[in-house]
Amino acid sequence: MKPCYIISSSSISAQETFEQVPFLQNVHPLENNISKARYPKFADYISRGALRRMAIGSKMGVLTAQMALEKAALTNPDAIITGTGMGCIEHSEKFLSALHENEEQFLTPTSFIQSTHNTVGAQIALSLKCNGYNVTYTHGSNSFESALVDTQLTLHEGAQTVLTGAIDELGTEFIQNTHYKNKALSFSEGAHFFVMSARKNSTSYAKLTAISCEQTITLNNFETYTKAFLAKHQLSVATIDAVILGSFEGDENAYVTKMTNSLFPHNLQLNYKHLCGQFDTASAFGFWAGTEILRTQNIPKALIAKGRVSGAIKTLLIYNQHNGKNHSFIVLQSC
Amino acid sequence: MSQSVAITGIGIISSIGNNFDETVASLQASRHGIGTIQHINTRHKDHIKVGEVPHTNHELAELLQLPTTTSYSRTTLLGLIAAQEAIISATLTSEEISRLGLISATSVGGMDITEQQYPFENMAAKTEELLRQHPAGDGTNKIAKHIGIEGFTTTISTACSSSANAIMLGARMIKAGQLDRVIVGGTDALSKFTINGFNSLMILSDAHCKPFDNLRKGLNLGEGAAYLVLESATTATKRQQSILGYLKGYGNANDAFHQTASSADGEGAFLAMKKALEVAQLQPSDIDYINAHGTATQNNDASESAALQRIFKDALPVFSSTKPFTGHTLAAAGAVEAVFSVAALQNNLVFPNLNFDTPMEESGIQPNLQLTTKPLQNILSNSFGFGGNCSSLIVSKNL
């Protein structure tokens, strides 16, 4: 597979990532349980008429998509590929609530229509009048990675540009009432969009060199697998300038420990979830941070878990997993 | 040189059969599965007709030989049954199974469970556990675990075109050499959420749906699951596995017209079919039969007719919608109808478009009304969803 060049991006998260400020210099601690993203003034960018029906995920997704396209000076990408773990949970909850309270009567369709997982991808296509390939991945913590795999494939097949992104919103009822007690990290939300190009040009600042996803890897086989993945792309442990891991204190995991203690003990190790919080597509924040590191050649202190920065930053490895399954490995490089 | 994509495994469950053989028998007998809803207590039960799988969740779990305490989402149970059948029919070793990719699709996910647990206040631990099944990816993870799949696994959710997109991704990954073999398809169960959602849009019919008919008044919801095993023609031939057909063409385009309605000229559908023909390197005249999306809504059938006429002009091949058999199985529809297309190819049969009386004023096109024997080489299958997501597949008998 040829590399995919990143030519622009946009992020809305619990940190100041949307604004034009120095990359993660001024970071804020997350709330104890639930941290909303820092919302821009959406009405400054999207018409109030359009905003009226949009849940927060749609607003964040449509805006970051818009910004990424503007920064890339692109009006119509060849494809729109998105990922979301929980989909449009706000509207799902609204419709469930109305269904329950009204005992299946007098229901209006708006929330049902807006609850389908592909809503954000569809809204973006609609606003751009983009007839290109359009798909939404909904595979938990690998939703964004799945979108990247398809992006790589789509560019490989001949597309010139792909708009790729991921969105997750908090909602209210699931998050407040369900399995989010006794957790070590705040739940949050966010949207991240990237314009990816088949060709390198003066505006590309990073490249997706490789991505691999596996449902299951045995712990015994994990080191062999990782090294083989790197070797396949002419890389080795020594050539990785930093590993980016979605782990956090209280999230002990044997696979992450293999990464930090066995595979990359002497490499620079970065964490990001303490900044963006926990949500299915949080790895898009990690990916975004990686592209910003390559673009600025600067690693904010807030990201550093272990090790020191030394010299130019050329090659990053991003590793993600969930409960020891749904592994993904991404190589990001400067270009 | 890119690989040809062979179909080497097949599995399906719907209101017309628990497996592929039962399904084919029903199609051949023009025996539909539409009736009054049995397993969901909804206010609308006497005002709609549905294509419901005639088993309780308990019975589905028994079919799978799962422990009696299993409380899986119905979406997952249906998916497990169809995926299991597909894997068995592909005659793979356990090592080959572990290396499979899995690309599934759903729109309902675990909503059938979630809606029963709602409202969520004062939740017990058991309820929390059940709600973990809500997200679309959970069922896919359970299918992977049950079957023993360890490779690339993902879930697609693009409303009614979901499983067509899953099949398309699988074919593309094989052609690009990223996967040797993959199981692709989708699953959706009936739920109060979707029944009420479609009802609020006023597109459900209280009678048997009449695709392409001038007096059509809406769709019948259905449920089901279907999966295909795809592999490169080379590996299929090498292991002497019988090939059921080839995934020759595919196309995905967005209508970009409206969140739920399709454009009058069917632009998204037109582009999807055009792309599928290009990928297959076929002319419209090479298509022998079209399994239409044909939901029997005013809007879809008009839009799809317009698109069909734009592609095929005066030479529209024989076509039918099989949704009067199964109902509209939402995310599973693309895969269910791909399985029907394989059945059609194997038997050289064009299935009837049931319940049809009068051609629609908008186009005057007439679907196939009787079960018809006809030599078939290439079948086009359409799936169009909310969000303007349009996907078309071409299934072929030969390379």
Side-chain angles (χ1 to χ4, degrees):
Chain A
M1 293 277 162
K2 292 172 292 182
C4 310
Y5 296 94
I6 294 130
I7 57 178
S8 71
S9 72
S10 179
S11 159
I12 293 175
S13 71
Q15 301 299 331
E16 289 174 52
T17 52
F18 181 77
E19 302 87 330
Q20 300 296 332
V21 295
F23 171 45
L24 291 178
Q25 284 292 13
N26 186 26
V27 297
H28 310 274
L30 298 172
E31 303 293 322
N32 271 333
N33 293 318
I34 295 168
S35 302
K36 291 195 177 177
R38 298 170 63 87
Y39 305 141
K41 267 232 209 76
F42 293 109
D44 285 351
Y45 305 93
I46 304 170
S47 78
R48 286 188 189 278
L51 283 175
R52 214 165 36 88
R53 292 179 178 193
M54 291 164 86
I56 201 65
S58 286
K59 290 178 189 168
M60 294 193 291
V62 166
L63 179 50
T64 48
Q66 199 175 297
M67 294 310 297
L69 288 169
E70 263 176 42
K71 289 184 199 177
L74 184 65
T75 46
N76 224 317
D78 291 329
I80 297 170
I81 302 176
T82 53
T84 177
M86 290 296 281
C88 303
I89 197 73
E90 265 189 36
H91 277 295
S92 299
E93 287 173 352
K94 271 207 181 92
F95 196 73
L96 267 173
S97 167
L99 210 165
H100 178 76
E101 274 174 34
N102 299 324
E103 296 177 334
E104 301 183 77
Q105 296 175 94
F106 321 122
L107 298 171
T108 56
T110 305
S111 278
F112 176 68
I113 295 166
Q114 299 282 332
S115 74
T116 61
H117 296 78
N118 58 327
T119 290
V120 179
Q123 269 173 344
I124 297 168
L126 200 51
S127 67
L128 300 174
K129 291 245 154 292
C130 177
N131 297 122
Y133 177 73
N134 190 305
V135 72
T136 300
Y137 289 93
T138 53
H139 197 67
S141 61
N142 262 0
S143 301
F144 175 61
E145 287 80 345
S146 301
L148 284 180
V149 167
D150 196 349
T151 298
Q152 188 192 46
L153 183 57
T154 301
L155 291 170
H156 171 82
E157 289 167 336
Q160 291 303 305
T161 54
V162 179
L163 177 65
T164 310
I167 316 99
D168 266 303
E169 61 190 13
L170 279 165
T172 37
E173 305 208 54
F174 267 87
I175 206 90
Q176 279 170 5
N177 290 302
T178 70
H179 46 287
Y180 305 132
K181 308 177 181 119
N182 306 319
K183 61 197 180 325
L185 181 66
S186 178
F187 275 86
S188 190
E189 57 184 1
H192 298 80
F193 267 89
F194 306 86
V195 174
M196 316 275 279
S197 168
R199 280 169 306 151
K200 179 168 144 77
N201 61 22
S202 56
T203 56
S204 36
Y205 54 88
K207 64 184 179 189
L208 169 67
T209 302
I211 176 166
S212 181
C213 302
E214 301 284 341
Q215 182 72 355
T216 299
I217 306 175
T218 63
L219 201 54
N220 279 344
N221 200 30
F222 187 70
E223 287 184 50
T224 312
Y225 181 94
T226 308
K227 288 183 180 159
F229 168 73
L230 293 175
K232 192 171 158 198
H233 301 283
Q234 289 82 50
L235 295 167
S236 66
V237 167
T239 56
I240 301 297
D241 295 311
V243 289
I244 302 179
L245 303 166
S247 57
F248 50 91
E249 258 187 64
D251 177 45
E252 270 71 53
N253 181 282
Y255 290 92
V256 174
T257 306
K258 286 260 181 198
M259 292 294 273
T260 55
N261 296 10
S262 311
L263 280 160
F264 300 97
H266 308 298
N267 301 67
L268 180 58
Q269 298 173 7
L270 311 178
N271 283 344
Y272 60 87
K273 277 201 182 164
H274 59 290
L275 299 174
C276 70
Q278 176 83 292
F279 52 101
D280 279 329
T281 48
S283 55
F285 180 95
F287 184 86
W288 174 83
T291 61
E292 287 298 286
I293 287 169
L294 293 169
R295 185 177 69 84
T296 61
Q297 284 297 303
N298 163 49
I299 302 187
K301 226 164 58 151
L303 287 172
I304 300 176
K306 182 183 171 205
R308 287 182 303 111
V309 187
S310 62
I313 308 145
K314 297 229 264 305
T315 305
L316 303 171
L317 174 67
I318 307 176
Y319 170 65
N320 191 22
Q321 57 76 46
H322 184 72
N323 290 339
K325 296 265 176 195
N326 287 319
H327 306 268
S328 65
F329 301 80
I330 296 172
V331 174
L332 266 179
Q333 293 186 297
S334 53
C335 64
Chain B
M1 177 64 208
S2 86
Q3 292 289 345
S4 295
V5 180
I7 300 166
T8 53
I10 199 159
I12 183 167
I13 180 166
S14 75
S15 60
I16 64 169
N18 284 353
N19 54 52
F20 184 65
D21 287 344
E22 284 181 18
T23 302
V24 176
S26 292
L27 289 167
Q28 288 176 321
S30 289
R31 186 170 53 238
H32 67 78
I34 307 295
T36 305
I37 195 161
Q38 301 294 312
H39 301 118
I40 297 181
N41 192 15
T42 163
R43 174 182 289 273
H44 308 292
K45 68 176 9 162
D46 296 322
H47 307 295
I48 59 172
K49 296 234 180 296
V50 298
E52 188 174 30
V53 171
H55 300 293
T56 61
N57 286 10
H58 194 75
E59 288 163 359
L60 294 174
E62 274 186 336
L63 277 176
L64 288 160
Q65 298 179 312
L66 290 172
T68 47
T69 48
T70 309
S71 49
Y72 282 178
S73 153
R74 190 174 175 84
T75 305
T76 302
L77 291 167
L78 294 171
L80 284 168
I81 289 171
Q84 192 168 265
E85 187 191 4
I87 293 292
I88 291 170
S89 73
T91 66
L92 298 165
T93 65
S94 54
E95 167 60 30
E96 286 168 335
I97 289 172
S98 74
R99 292 315 317 146
L100 271 173
L102 166 61
I103 304 168
S104 188
T106 185
S107 65
V108 174
M111 184 60 90
D112 62 311
I113 294 206
T114 306
E115 65 193 17
Q116 286 170 28
Q117 304 307 314
Y118 194 86
F120 301 153
E121 286 94 40
N122 307 314
M123 263 191 315
K126 174 140 176 52
T127 306
E128 275 192 36
E129 186 50 45
L130 287 172
L131 287 184
R132 279 182 217 270
Q133 297 194 57
H134 178 84
D138 184 77
T140 312
N141 285 334
K142 287 184 162 65
I143 292 173
K145 184 166 180 203
H146 184 84
I147 290 178
I149 291 168
E150 299 182 358
F152 176 76
T153 301
T154 193
T155 314
I156 289 177
S157 195
T158 55
C160 312
S161 62
S162 299
S163 54
N165 283 328
I167 293 171
M168 181 171 161
L169 177 68
R172 290 164 63 212
M173 290 183 81
I174 288 174
K175 277 202 175 163
Q178 290 184 306
L179 289 172
D180 286 330
R181 203 177 281 117
V182 62
I183 173 168
V184 294
T187 171
D188 258 341
L190 286 167
S191 69
K192 244 166 145 168
F193 191 92
T194 46
I195 289 168
N196 280 280
F198 280 87
N199 191 57
S200 71
L201 283 163
M202 300 195 292
I203 52 176
L204 292 182
S205 174
D206 57 357
H208 291 260
C209 67
K210 299 166 73 67
F212 301 105
D213 190 280
N214 202 39
L215 295 179
R216 65 197 185 282
K217 49 177 176 164
L219 58 92
N220 304 136
L221 283 170
E223 62 181 5
Y227 290 88
L228 301 174
V229 174
L230 303 180
E231 62 190 280
S232 69
T234 314
T235 64
T237 311
K238 209 155 65 168
R239 69 186 183 95
Q240 297 175 312
Q241 173 69 11
S242 73
I243 292 175
L244 306 169
Y246 295 88
L247 211 297
K248 211 165 193 177
Y250 40 79
N252 166 317
N254 198 284
D255 201 32
F257 172 75
H258 184 271
Q259 190 69 19
T260 51
S262 306
S263 59
D265 66 349
E267 180 70 0
F270 167 76
L271 291 171
M273 288 191 276
K274 185 161 174 277
K275 282 195 213 182
L277 287 164
E278 279 163 11
V279 167
Q281 296 184 310
L282 292 174
Q283 295 300 315
S285 54
D286 294 316
I287 300 296
D288 301 305
Y289 167 31
I290 303 169
N291 182 307
H293 187 57
T295 54
T297 62
Q298 280 292 324
N299 179 244
N300 174 78
D301 292 5
S303 177
E304 186 172 10
S305 298
L308 286 171
Q309 288 178 312
R310 287 173 65 188
I311 292 276
F312 295 98
K313 307 208 167 45
D314 293 326
L316 183 60
V318 68
F319 74 95
S320 61
S321 164
T322 48
K323 289 185 168 74
F325 278 94
T326 54
H328 185 5
T329 54
L330 301 182
V336 163
E337 290 158 26
V339 167
F340 287 6
S341 300
V342 170
L345 283 175
Q346 286 191 329
N347 297 284
N348 285 320
L349 278 178
V350 176
F351 303 123
N353 189 112
L354 302 175
N355 312 330
F356 179 90
D357 292 306
T358 326
M360 32 193 273
E361 278 164 9
E362 297 96 311
S363 67
I365 61 174
Q366 167 119 352
N368 178 64
L369 301 183
Q370 307 296 333
L371 185 72
T372 310
T373 303
K374 184 191 172 195
L376 298 171
Q377 282 296 327
N378 301 300
I379 300 180
L380 174 72
S381 177
N382 288 336
S383 296
F384 308 136
F386 286 171
N389 283 108
C390 299
S391 295
S392 296
L393 303 172
I394 295 175
V395 185
S396 302
K397 189 174 279 175
N398 296 307
L399 264 174

